[in-house]
Amino acid sequence: MDVTEQELLTQELRREKAYLAEAQSLTHIGSWAANFHTRQNLHLSDEVYRLHGFEPNQRPLALERFWDTLHPEDEPIVRATLENAIRTRTDYDIREFRVCRPDGGVRFLRTIGHHNRTGELREYVGIRWT
């Protein structure tokens, strides 16, 4: 592959990434990937940061920072749902939970996690939205 072809592919990838980021921002849907065993975020879209009240330029933030935003009344059910999904290696859908944003606001979110059967044991990919 020559340099010109490589540059064109790089430009196309940047354009596609920008379109995806704009679509997520307009719809308030963020994408993520995490390994719950190693407690690592593998990918967080800018919109996931915003949904939790963080600025994307604060990246990278540890997975725990996002756990810390869970509303105290919703945290037990969110954790139990995730632990069950991890233990049974299944997908999950948490239809409504609250996060307490750093600015004092509370936001209702939904999240779906898909167990990545081709990846690590406890790796999930998913979306989160309002």
Side-chain angles (χ1 to χ4, degrees):
M1 179 181 307
D2 66 29
V3 175
T4 304
E5 188 177 356
Q6 179 65 36
E7 182 58 32
L8 289 172
L9 289 172
T10 300
Q11 288 175 7
E12 178 64 21
L13 183 59
R14 283 187 191 126
R15 210 171 14 260
E16 293 295 326
K17 187 176 177 181
Y19 292 150
L20 178 60
E22 183 66 18
Q24 288 186 355
S25 176
L26 290 170
T27 59
H28 301 293
I29 297 174
S31 59
W32 57 268
N35 184 312
F36 294 126
H37 177 67
T38 62
R39 306 184 82 65
Q40 289 181 300
N41 287 318
L42 305 173
H43 160 75
L44 292 170
S45 68
D46 289 353
E47 194 59 23
V48 169
Y49 279 87
R50 288 187 203 99
L51 289 170
H52 285 265
F54 302 120
E55 289 299 321
N57 63 6
Q58 291 179 280
R59 61 174 25 119
L61 286 179
L63 184 60
E64 292 306 315
R65 290 290 308 271
F66 292 91
W67 284 106
D68 291 345
T69 66
L70 290 175
H71 191 282
E73 293 176 9
D74 297 343
E75 182 179 4
I77 190 68
V78 170
R79 285 193 185 269
T81 301
L82 289 175
E83 288 169 4
N84 181 60
I86 292 164
R87 186 177 60 258
T88 59
R89 299 180 186 176
T90 56
D91 299 345
Y92 67 86
D93 182 352
I94 302 173
R95 295 194 173 271
E96 186 175 85
F97 67 99
R98 293 167 288 180
V99 293
C100 301
R101 296 162 47 102
D103 65 4
V106 174
R107 182 168 248 174
F108 286 83
L109 300 179
R110 179 177 181 182
T111 187
I112 294 175
H114 176 71
H115 179 249
N116 184 356
R117 288 162 181 80
T118 62
E120 293 289 324
L121 174 64
R122 295 176 182 146
E123 188 174 293
Y124 280 77
V125 295
I127 58 173
R128 189 166 298 147
W129 71 95
T130 58

mmCIF file with all atom_site columns, all heavy atoms in Angstrom, residues 94-108:
data_model
loop_
_atom_site.group_PDB
_atom_site.id
_atom_site.type_symbol
_atom_site.label_atom_id
_atom_site.label_alt_id
_atom_site.label_comp_id
_atom_site.label_asym_id
_atom_site.label_entity_id
_atom_site.label_seq_id
_atom_site.pdbx_PDB_ins_code
_atom_site.Cartn_x
_atom_site.Cartn_y
_atom_site.Cartn_z
_atom_site.occupancy
_atom_site.B_iso_or_equiv
_atom_site.pdbx_formal_charge
_atom_site.auth_seq_id
_atom_site.auth_comp_id
_atom_site.auth_asym_id
_atom_site.auth_atom_id
_atom_site.pdbx_PDB_model_num
ATOM 1   N N   . ILE A 1 94  ? -30.058 -2.965 31.797 1.00 0.00 ? 94  ILE A N   1
ATOM 2   C CA  . ILE A 1 94  ? -30.537 -2.248 32.979 1.00 0.00 ? 94  ILE A CA  1
ATOM 3   C C   . ILE A 1 94  ? -31.373 -1.084 32.441 1.00 0.00 ? 94  ILE A C   1
ATOM 4   O O   . ILE A 1 94  ? -30.844 -0.096 31.942 1.00 0.00 ? 94  ILE A O   1
ATOM 5   C CB  . ILE A 1 94  ? -29.374 -1.761 33.862 1.00 0.00 ? 94  ILE A CB  1
ATOM 6   C CG1 . ILE A 1 94  ? -28.509 -2.950 34.283 1.00 0.00 ? 94  ILE A CG1 1
ATOM 7   C CG2 . ILE A 1 94  ? -29.919 -1.005 35.082 1.00 0.00 ? 94  ILE A CG2 1
ATOM 8   C CD1 . ILE A 1 94  ? -27.239 -2.571 35.022 1.00 0.00 ? 94  ILE A CD1 1
ATOM 9   N N   . ARG A 1 95  ? -32.667 -1.231 32.541 1.00 0.00 ? 95  ARG A N   1
ATOM 10  C CA  . ARG A 1 95  ? -33.590 -0.314 31.875 1.00 0.00 ? 95  ARG A CA  1
ATOM 11  C C   . ARG A 1 95  ? -33.608 1.093  32.452 1.00 0.00 ? 95  ARG A C   1
ATOM 12  O O   . ARG A 1 95  ? -33.873 2.043  31.723 1.00 0.00 ? 95  ARG A O   1
ATOM 13  C CB  . ARG A 1 95  ? -34.991 -0.894 31.873 1.00 0.00 ? 95  ARG A CB  1
ATOM 14  C CG  . ARG A 1 95  ? -35.069 -2.156 31.048 1.00 0.00 ? 95  ARG A CG  1
ATOM 15  C CD  . ARG A 1 95  ? -36.489 -2.549 30.769 1.00 0.00 ? 95  ARG A CD  1
ATOM 16  N NE  . ARG A 1 95  ? -36.526 -3.661 29.847 1.00 0.00 ? 95  ARG A NE  1
ATOM 17  C CZ  . ARG A 1 95  ? -36.559 -3.530 28.534 1.00 0.00 ? 95  ARG A CZ  1
ATOM 18  N NH1 . ARG A 1 95  ? -36.560 -2.352 27.989 1.00 0.00 ? 95  ARG A NH1 1
ATOM 19  N NH2 . ARG A 1 95  ? -36.592 -4.594 27.753 1.00 0.00 ? 95  ARG A NH2 1
ATOM 20  N N   . GLU A 1 96  ? -33.336 1.224  33.748 1.00 0.00 ? 96  GLU A N   1
ATOM 21  C CA  . GLU A 1 96  ? -33.311 2.567  34.315 1.00 0.00 ? 96  GLU A CA  1
ATOM 22  C C   . GLU A 1 96  ? -32.501 2.566  35.602 1.00 0.00 ? 96  GLU A C   1
ATOM 23  O O   . GLU A 1 96  ? -32.716 1.749  36.478 1.00 0.00 ? 96  GLU A O   1
ATOM 24  C CB  . GLU A 1 96  ? -34.733 3.060  34.597 1.00 0.00 ? 96  GLU A CB  1
ATOM 25  C CG  . GLU A 1 96  ? -34.772 4.494  35.053 1.00 0.00 ? 96  GLU A CG  1
ATOM 26  C CD  . GLU A 1 96  ? -36.182 5.008  35.218 1.00 0.00 ? 96  GLU A CD  1
ATOM 27  O OE1 . GLU A 1 96  ? -36.762 4.793  36.300 1.00 0.00 ? 96  GLU A OE1 1
ATOM 28  O OE2 . GLU A 1 96  ? -36.696 5.613  34.261 1.00 0.00 ? 96  GLU A OE2 1
ATOM 29  N N   . PHE A 1 97  ? -31.562 3.490  35.652 1.00 0.00 ? 97  PHE A N   1
ATOM 30  C CA  . PHE A 1 97  ? -30.798 3.737  36.870 1.00 0.00 ? 97  PHE A CA  1
ATOM 31  C C   . PHE A 1 97  ? -30.384 5.193  36.850 1.00 0.00 ? 97  PHE A C   1
ATOM 32  O O   . PHE A 1 97  ? -30.405 5.853  35.816 1.00 0.00 ? 97  PHE A O   1
ATOM 33  C CB  . PHE A 1 97  ? -29.596 2.790  36.997 1.00 0.00 ? 97  PHE A CB  1
ATOM 34  C CG  . PHE A 1 97  ? -28.522 3.008  35.972 1.00 0.00 ? 97  PHE A CG  1
ATOM 35  C CD1 . PHE A 1 97  ? -27.382 3.735  36.273 1.00 0.00 ? 97  PHE A CD1 1
ATOM 36  C CD2 . PHE A 1 97  ? -28.652 2.475  34.700 1.00 0.00 ? 97  PHE A CD2 1
ATOM 37  C CE1 . PHE A 1 97  ? -26.394 3.927  35.326 1.00 0.00 ? 97  PHE A CE1 1
ATOM 38  C CE2 . PHE A 1 97  ? -27.665 2.650  33.747 1.00 0.00 ? 97  PHE A CE2 1
ATOM 39  C CZ  . PHE A 1 97  ? -26.530 3.385  34.062 1.00 0.00 ? 97  PHE A CZ  1
ATOM 40  N N   . ARG A 1 98  ? -30.050 5.687  38.019 1.00 0.00 ? 98  ARG A N   1
ATOM 41  C CA  . ARG A 1 98  ? -29.683 7.097  38.132 1.00 0.00 ? 98  ARG A CA  1
ATOM 42  C C   . ARG A 1 98  ? -28.191 7.251  38.371 1.00 0.00 ? 98  ARG A C   1
ATOM 43  O O   . ARG A 1 98  ? -27.569 6.412  39.021 1.00 0.00 ? 98  ARG A O   1
ATOM 44  C CB  . ARG A 1 98  ? -30.444 7.752  39.292 1.00 0.00 ? 98  ARG A CB  1
ATOM 45  C CG  . ARG A 1 98  ? -31.936 7.850  39.054 1.00 0.00 ? 98  ARG A CG  1
ATOM 46  C CD  . ARG A 1 98  ? -32.665 8.198  40.323 1.00 0.00 ? 98  ARG A CD  1
ATOM 47  N NE  . ARG A 1 98  ? -32.648 7.010  41.208 1.00 0.00 ? 98  ARG A NE  1
ATOM 48  C CZ  . ARG A 1 98  ? -33.191 6.974  42.399 1.00 0.00 ? 98  ARG A CZ  1
ATOM 49  N NH1 . ARG A 1 98  ? -33.779 8.038  42.905 1.00 0.00 ? 98  ARG A NH1 1
ATOM 50  N NH2 . ARG A 1 98  ? -33.142 5.880  43.123 1.00 0.00 ? 98  ARG A NH2 1
ATOM 51  N N   . VAL A 1 99  ? -27.674 8.350  37.845 1.00 0.00 ? 99  VAL A N   1
ATOM 52  C CA  . VAL A 1 99  ? -26.304 8.747  38.163 1.00 0.00 ? 99  VAL A CA  1
ATOM 53  C C   . VAL A 1 99  ? -26.355 10.149 38.749 1.00 0.00 ? 99  VAL A C   1
ATOM 54  O O   . VAL A 1 99  ? -27.184 10.974 38.372 1.00 0.00 ? 99  VAL A O   1
ATOM 55  C CB  . VAL A 1 99  ? -25.348 8.702  36.943 1.00 0.00 ? 99  VAL A CB  1
ATOM 56  C CG1 . VAL A 1 99  ? -25.136 7.270  36.474 1.00 0.00 ? 99  VAL A CG1 1
ATOM 57  C CG2 . VAL A 1 99  ? -25.827 9.585  35.818 1.00 0.00 ? 99  VAL A CG2 1
ATOM 58  N N   . CYS A 1 100 ? -25.483 10.384 39.702 1.00 0.00 ? 100 CYS A N   1
ATOM 59  C CA  . CYS A 1 100 ? -25.348 11.696 40.333 1.00 0.00 ? 100 CYS A CA  1
ATOM 60  C C   . CYS A 1 100 ? -24.142 12.370 39.694 1.00 0.00 ? 100 CYS A C   1
ATOM 61  O O   . CYS A 1 100 ? -23.009 11.924 39.863 1.00 0.00 ? 100 CYS A O   1
ATOM 62  C CB  . CYS A 1 100 ? -25.148 11.543 41.841 1.00 0.00 ? 100 CYS A CB  1
ATOM 63  S SG  . CYS A 1 100 ? -26.500 10.671 42.648 1.00 0.00 ? 100 CYS A SG  1
ATOM 64  N N   . ARG A 1 101 ? -24.409 13.415 38.965 1.00 0.00 ? 101 ARG A N   1
ATOM 65  C CA  . ARG A 1 101 ? -23.355 14.100 38.222 1.00 0.00 ? 101 ARG A CA  1
ATOM 66  C C   . ARG A 1 101 ? -22.595 15.054 39.137 1.00 0.00 ? 101 ARG A C   1
ATOM 67  O O   . ARG A 1 101 ? -23.138 15.528 40.138 1.00 0.00 ? 101 ARG A O   1
ATOM 68  C CB  . ARG A 1 101 ? -23.982 14.824 37.046 1.00 0.00 ? 101 ARG A CB  1
ATOM 69  C CG  . ARG A 1 101 ? -24.611 13.834 36.063 1.00 0.00 ? 101 ARG A CG  1
ATOM 70  C CD  . ARG A 1 101 ? -25.618 14.458 35.114 1.00 0.00 ? 101 ARG A CD  1
ATOM 71  N NE  . ARG A 1 101 ? -25.179 15.674 34.500 1.00 0.00 ? 101 ARG A NE  1
ATOM 72  C CZ  . ARG A 1 101 ? -24.723 15.777 33.248 1.00 0.00 ? 101 ARG A CZ  1
ATOM 73  N NH1 . ARG A 1 101 ? -24.664 14.710 32.491 1.00 0.00 ? 101 ARG A NH1 1
ATOM 74  N NH2 . ARG A 1 101 ? -24.372 16.942 32.770 1.00 0.00 ? 101 ARG A NH2 1
ATOM 75  N N   . PRO A 1 102 ? -21.331 15.323 38.816 1.00 0.00 ? 102 PRO A N   1
ATOM 76  C CA  . PRO A 1 102 ? -20.520 16.217 39.648 1.00 0.00 ? 102 PRO A CA  1
ATOM 77  C C   . PRO A 1 102 ? -21.128 17.609 39.858 1.00 0.00 ? 102 PRO A C   1
ATOM 78  O O   . PRO A 1 102 ? -20.888 18.236 40.881 1.00 0.00 ? 102 PRO A O   1
ATOM 79  C CB  . PRO A 1 102 ? -19.195 16.317 38.884 1.00 0.00 ? 102 PRO A CB  1
ATOM 80  C CG  . PRO A 1 102 ? -19.123 15.050 38.108 1.00 0.00 ? 102 PRO A CG  1
ATOM 81  C CD  . PRO A 1 102 ? -20.555 14.737 37.734 1.00 0.00 ? 102 PRO A CD  1
ATOM 82  N N   . ASP A 1 103 ? -21.985 18.062 38.920 1.00 0.00 ? 103 ASP A N   1
ATOM 83  C CA  . ASP A 1 103 ? -22.607 19.387 39.063 1.00 0.00 ? 103 ASP A CA  1
ATOM 84  C C   . ASP A 1 103 ? -23.821 19.357 39.985 1.00 0.00 ? 103 ASP A C   1
ATOM 85  O O   . ASP A 1 103 ? -24.504 20.363 40.165 1.00 0.00 ? 103 ASP A O   1
ATOM 86  C CB  . ASP A 1 103 ? -22.990 19.960 37.693 1.00 0.00 ? 103 ASP A CB  1
ATOM 87  C CG  . ASP A 1 103 ? -24.074 19.156 36.981 1.00 0.00 ? 103 ASP A CG  1
ATOM 88  O OD1 . ASP A 1 103 ? -24.617 18.184 37.558 1.00 0.00 ? 103 ASP A OD1 1
ATOM 89  O OD2 . ASP A 1 103 ? -24.376 19.494 35.811 1.00 0.00 ? 103 ASP A OD2 1
ATOM 90  N N   . GLY A 1 104 ? -24.127 18.171 40.563 1.00 0.00 ? 104 GLY A N   1
ATOM 91  C CA  . GLY A 1 104 ? -25.259 18.035 41.473 1.00 0.00 ? 104 GLY A CA  1
ATOM 92  C C   . GLY A 1 104 ? -26.517 17.516 40.810 1.00 0.00 ? 104 GLY A C   1
ATOM 93  O O   . GLY A 1 104 ? -27.472 17.160 41.494 1.00 0.00 ? 104 GLY A O   1
ATOM 94  N N   . GLY A 1 105 ? -26.542 17.478 39.502 1.00 0.00 ? 105 GLY A N   1
ATOM 95  C CA  . GLY A 1 105 ? -27.706 16.978 38.785 1.00 0.00 ? 105 GLY A CA  1
ATOM 96  C C   . GLY A 1 105 ? -27.800 15.463 38.851 1.00 0.00 ? 105 GLY A C   1
ATOM 97  O O   . GLY A 1 105 ? -26.819 14.774 39.103 1.00 0.00 ? 105 GLY A O   1
ATOM 98  N N   . VAL A 1 106 ? -29.010 14.974 38.628 1.00 0.00 ? 106 VAL A N   1
ATOM 99  C CA  . VAL A 1 106 ? -29.255 13.539 38.575 1.00 0.00 ? 106 VAL A CA  1
ATOM 100 C C   . VAL A 1 106 ? -29.779 13.225 37.179 1.00 0.00 ? 106 VAL A C   1
ATOM 101 O O   . VAL A 1 106 ? -30.632 13.941 36.650 1.00 0.00 ? 106 VAL A O   1
ATOM 102 C CB  . VAL A 1 106 ? -30.281 13.102 39.640 1.00 0.00 ? 106 VAL A CB  1
ATOM 103 C CG1 . VAL A 1 106 ? -30.651 11.636 39.479 1.00 0.00 ? 106 VAL A CG1 1
ATOM 104 C CG2 . VAL A 1 106 ? -29.739 13.357 41.044 1.00 0.00 ? 106 VAL A CG2 1
ATOM 105 N N   . ARG A 1 107 ? -29.252 12.180 36.591 1.00 0.00 ? 107 ARG A N   1
ATOM 106 C CA  . ARG A 1 107 ? -29.679 11.794 35.251 1.00 0.00 ? 107 ARG A CA  1
ATOM 107 C C   . ARG A 1 107 ? -30.090 10.322 35.266 1.00 0.00 ? 107 ARG A C   1
ATOM 108 O O   . ARG A 1 107 ? -29.439 9.495  35.873 1.00 0.00 ? 107 ARG A O   1
ATOM 109 C CB  . ARG A 1 107 ? -28.545 12.014 34.267 1.00 0.00 ? 107 ARG A CB  1
ATOM 110 C CG  . ARG A 1 107 ? -28.928 11.670 32.846 1.00 0.00 ? 107 ARG A CG  1
ATOM 111 C CD  . ARG A 1 107 ? -27.891 12.167 31.889 1.00 0.00 ? 107 ARG A CD  1
ATOM 112 N NE  . ARG A 1 107 ? -28.514 13.246 31.125 1.00 0.00 ? 107 ARG A NE  1
ATOM 113 C CZ  . ARG A 1 107 ? -27.888 14.001 30.276 1.00 0.00 ? 107 ARG A CZ  1
ATOM 114 N NH1 . ARG A 1 107 ? -26.597 13.869 30.100 1.00 0.00 ? 107 ARG A NH1 1
ATOM 115 N NH2 . ARG A 1 107 ? -28.527 14.915 29.605 1.00 0.00 ? 107 ARG A NH2 1
ATOM 116 N N   . PHE A 1 108 ? -31.210 10.046 34.593 1.00 0.00 ? 108 PHE A N   1
ATOM 117 C CA  . PHE A 1 108 ? -31.679 8.676  34.432 1.00 0.00 ? 108 PHE A CA  1
ATOM 118 C C   . PHE A 1 108 ? -31.042 8.101  33.167 1.00 0.00 ? 108 PHE A C   1
ATOM 119 O O   . PHE A 1 108 ? -31.085 8.738  32.110 1.00 0.00 ? 108 PHE A O   1
ATOM 120 C CB  . PHE A 1 108 ? -33.207 8.634  34.297 1.00 0.00 ? 108 PHE A CB  1
ATOM 121 C CG  . PHE A 1 108 ? -33.916 8.891  35.586 1.00 0.00 ? 108 PHE A CG  1
ATOM 122 C CD1 . PHE A 1 108 ? -34.135 10.186 36.028 1.00 0.00 ? 108 PHE A CD1 1
ATOM 123 C CD2 . PHE A 1 108 ? -34.364 7.820  36.362 1.00 0.00 ? 108 PHE A CD2 1
ATOM 124 C CE1 . PHE A 1 108 ? -34.788 10.422 37.227 1.00 0.00 ? 108 PHE A CE1 1
ATOM 125 C CE2 . PHE A 1 108 ? -35.023 8.057  37.559 1.00 0.00 ? 108 PHE A CE2 1
ATOM 126 C CZ  . PHE A 1 108 ? -35.231 9.360  37.994 1.00 0.00 ? 108 PHE A CZ  1
#
